[in-house]
Amino acid sequence: MTTGLLPSLDGLDWDDLPAVASATTEAFDALTRNNWALLANLLTALPGDAELGAMCEQFDFLDKLVIHQGDRYRVRLHRFRPGYFDRPHDHRWSFASMILTGSYQHVQYGTNEGFDTIDPATLVPRQIRTERPGDHYVLHHTAVHSVHADAGTISLVLRGPATKDAFRIIDAPSGGSFTARGAQSETDAQRDAKRMPLPVINAAISDVLAARPATQEVTA
């Protein structure tokens, strides 16, 4: 069998969270060792890859850079701008996340059982923690969570294959919820509205590379 860029993720069962935790820890190390050497190589190559570039997205408070597409996984970088927070939601896929710079408050609410009909007022946190540089975690696609990020926070995300067409978002202020779908269900206009132009991709790459940790000098 041919191995990919991150061999520990080849053939991974993304529903087996202990296996995902072990495999993604190895992958995170491969991507970030030696002053983010492999990660920097992927970022440098991104502007020349039209397929990956078309998957990069920008929102009001968040940039998403897709830097590698594996057989059954995807490598992304998230760059948070001032004012970022999201609402309680589940995901279409299981994933692992590692904080590279900055920090965010991570709130977990349990699973999405009954999520379609839940009263937002009854949704209460089950765990609240602060994720800092070097921290990483694994989340199953049925888990419900939210994030409130400090400005300038950068996270590295390894996501598995989609297991469902849609995910749900709870909007507590309005007392309601809504369903969001993947790119395959979006219109061309919807895709174009959030697609990241090449100059913005280049600027985001420069900002991420500028955040690399200083190289440690070896002394005799």
Side-chain angles (χ1 to χ4, degrees):
M1 182 179 70
T2 303
T3 58
L5 179 78
L6 301 169
S8 67
L9 303 185
D10 291 336
L12 182 61
D13 178 0
W14 286 84
D15 280 322
D16 182 351
L17 287 199
V20 174
S22 176
T24 54
T25 295
E26 185 175 334
F28 283 137
D29 179 66
L31 286 160
T32 59
R33 69 165 68 106
N34 298 326
N35 197 36
W36 301 1
L38 179 55
L39 180 57
N41 287 342
L42 294 175
L43 283 166
T44 302
L46 175 58
D49 191 315
E51 183 177 355
L52 293 180
M55 291 189 280
C56 296
E57 299 173 340
Q58 65 175 139
F59 302 90
D60 288 341
F61 304 107
L62 174 68
D63 292 333
K64 295 181 180 179
L65 296 174
V66 180
I67 59 175
H68 180 69
Q69 176 68 61
D71 184 31
R72 281 173 45 83
Y73 68 89
R74 187 174 294 173
V75 183
R76 305 198 316 199
L77 271 173
H78 291 180
R79 189 175 66 129
F80 300 89
R81 290 195 290 276
Y84 179 85
F85 70 95
D86 57 25
R87 292 157 288 191
H89 61 279
D90 60 351
H91 286 269
R92 296 189 305 118
W93 23 261
S94 299
F95 71 97
S97 182
M98 178 181 184
I99 305 300
L100 297 179
T101 67
S103 67
Y104 58 61
Q105 185 184 72
H106 187 196
V107 183
Q108 299 184 43
Y109 301 89
T111 71
N112 62 2
E113 184 177 357
F115 203 38
D116 289 349
T117 57
I118 192 171
D119 178 354
T122 67
L123 189 66
V124 296
R126 301 302 179 186
Q127 183 181 54
I128 301 175
R129 54 173 286 151
T130 299
E131 311 289 356
R132 295 184 172 88
D135 290 343
H136 52 88
Y137 61 89
V138 170
L139 215 60
H140 193 261
H141 62 83
T142 59
V144 177
H145 78 143
S146 64
V147 165
H148 191 154
D150 291 342
T153 297
I154 300 171
S155 65
L156 181 58
V157 177
L158 304 173
R159 57 149 285 192
T163 62
K164 50 197 175 191
D165 294 331
F167 63 99
R168 198 146 192 90
I169 299 172
I170 294 290
D171 187 27
S174 70
S177 64
F178 60 94
T179 297
R181 300 189 179 277
Q184 73 282 355
S185 301
E186 295 175 331
T187 65
D188 289 343
Q190 289 172 322
R191 289 293 303 150
D192 289 342
K194 61 183 181 181
R195 183 174 287 121
M196 189 179 291
L198 185 57
V200 179
I201 291 176
N202 286 328
I205 291 170
S206 295
D207 287 346
V208 173
L209 292 178
R212 294 170 75 181
T215 303
Q216 296 292 324
E217 293 186 5
V218 178
T219 58

